[in-house]
Amino acid sequence: MDGAFTRNTPLAKPENYGSRAIPIADFRAFVAKEISRHNLRDGRRAKACRGRILAATFEESLNASGTLVRRATEMQRQYCLLAGEGITAKSTNREIALGQEPFRNRYWAEELIAHKGRKLMVRFDPDHLHDDIFVYMLDGRFIARAPCIEAVGFNDAEAARRHAQARKLFQRKQRELLDAERRLMASEVAALIPAPGNLPTALPKVVRLHPYQDAAMRGPSADEIDDAFSRGVSASFRSVTPFTPATRKRDG
């Protein structure tokens, strides 16, 4: 149990307390062994023990006094050891659903047919939800032992509780996110967009214009204008037909 126990009081914790955990099955076996060791230890100095073990002293006291030992009935053990929950039997098929939605185990017994739509007291082992459950009337009358007909949920109530808590937390976070989005105006949403970074504006040390851009910005020179004009005049003369005057006929 090193690292997973306290001393004589919960406040007297060793330095390594909480450094490890003990499986529940191992813990139960350890407690049972220690109780047995305590009851079988010799040399008890109590007046009734006279050096004997506690188990022998207890057995002698029962035989000498003739005390009638009363033991708990099965129903009393169920009330003491099992968890209880009030559940309404379904009016359609009279079955009982136990667990968190949508993971609910289903239980049914023939005796439940006469109790459709009625609220009943269900007793069950929270560590073994796939086992049979015990169904009672609200006044304590036993109805039936109902087996699990469909195990779709958790077999452990604690695991089901943790799952339900995680699911509710996720749903609450989603609702809060949706409400926050609904409350923001378009301008507020735009303000949340990060501003772009500044682009580098440094130019290289040596630059020159593109030759076509240089000619377009400079415009045609005087020589280029004269050459263009001469080409235009030559083309116009080539397209004109020469004029020939008509010859008059002599009188015969």
Side-chain angles (χ1 to χ4, degrees):
M1 302 295 292
D2 185 40
F5 79 104
T6 63
R7 294 190 177 92
N8 56 343
T9 67
L11 299 179
K13 297 179 180 179
E15 294 181 357
N16 63 346
Y17 173 77
S19 60
R20 59 189 292 258
I22 303 298
I24 186 64
D26 296 345
F27 175 75
R28 289 172 176 171
F30 172 78
V31 172
K33 183 180 67 174
E34 289 300 308
I35 291 176
S36 178
R37 185 177 65 85
H38 176 78
N39 292 331
L40 297 177
R41 189 173 65 188
D42 292 328
R44 295 291 182 177
R45 295 194 297 267
K47 183 177 180 180
C49 294
R50 299 189 302 275
R52 296 175 299 175
I53 63 176
L54 292 179
T57 305
F58 180 72
E59 184 178 359
E60 181 187 26
S61 65
L62 290 179
N63 296 331
S65 61
T67 304
L68 178 62
V69 179
R70 296 183 179 182
R71 297 187 178 274
T73 63
E74 182 65 23
M75 182 178 298
Q76 290 171 338
R77 288 174 56 84
Q78 292 175 10
Y79 269 86
C80 295
L81 302 178
L82 300 180
E85 185 175 345
I87 299 178
T88 302
K90 292 186 178 180
S91 58
T92 54
N93 50 14
R94 284 74 164 175
E95 70 180 20
I96 292 177
L98 184 62
Q100 298 288 340
E101 288 287 357
F103 308 104
R104 295 174 68 88
N105 298 319
R106 296 169 52 222
Y107 308 85
W108 185 86
E110 186 177 355
E111 292 82 356
L112 296 177
I113 296 178
H115 301 277
K116 68 172 185 177
R118 182 178 298 174
K119 191 169 185 179
L120 305 172
M121 175 57 65
V122 177
R123 300 252 170 211
F124 56 92
D125 186 351
D127 294 333
H128 301 88
L129 296 180
H130 294 170
D131 292 349
D132 298 351
I133 62 174
F134 302 90
V135 187
Y136 298 84
M137 298 285 289
L138 294 182
D139 58 4
R141 288 180 293 171
F142 179 73
I143 298 177
R145 178 172 181 167
C148 181
I149 60 175
E150 186 178 11
V152 297
F154 294 91
N155 188 34
D156 185 353
E158 180 63 21
R161 184 186 63 82
R162 292 194 301 266
H163 175 80
Q165 289 180 346
R167 186 168 181 266
K168 290 180 180 179
L169 179 61
F170 173 78
Q171 292 176 342
R172 180 168 61 84
K173 294 295 184 181
Q174 293 298 317
R175 288 194 298 268
E176 292 176 355
L177 179 61
L178 181 60
D179 293 340
E181 291 178 351
R182 288 174 176 173
R183 287 195 296 266
L184 291 177
M185 303 295 292
S187 58
E188 295 174 331
V189 176
L192 296 177
I193 301 176
N198 296 326
L199 296 176
T201 57
L203 296 176
K205 297 180 179 180
V206 180
V207 297
R208 60 171 295 180
L209 294 176
H210 193 275
Y212 297 105
Q213 295 177 349
D214 189 14
M217 295 175 61
R218 186 180 66 248
S221 62
D223 295 338
E224 291 174 344
I225 295 174
D226 292 342
D227 293 342
F229 179 76
S230 299
R231 288 195 299 271
V233 172
S234 299
S236 62
F237 277 113
R238 286 194 300 269
S239 62
V240 176
T241 304
F243 174 75
T244 304
T247 305
R248 295 181 63 183
K249 295 182 179 181
R250 294 181 180 181
D251 295 336

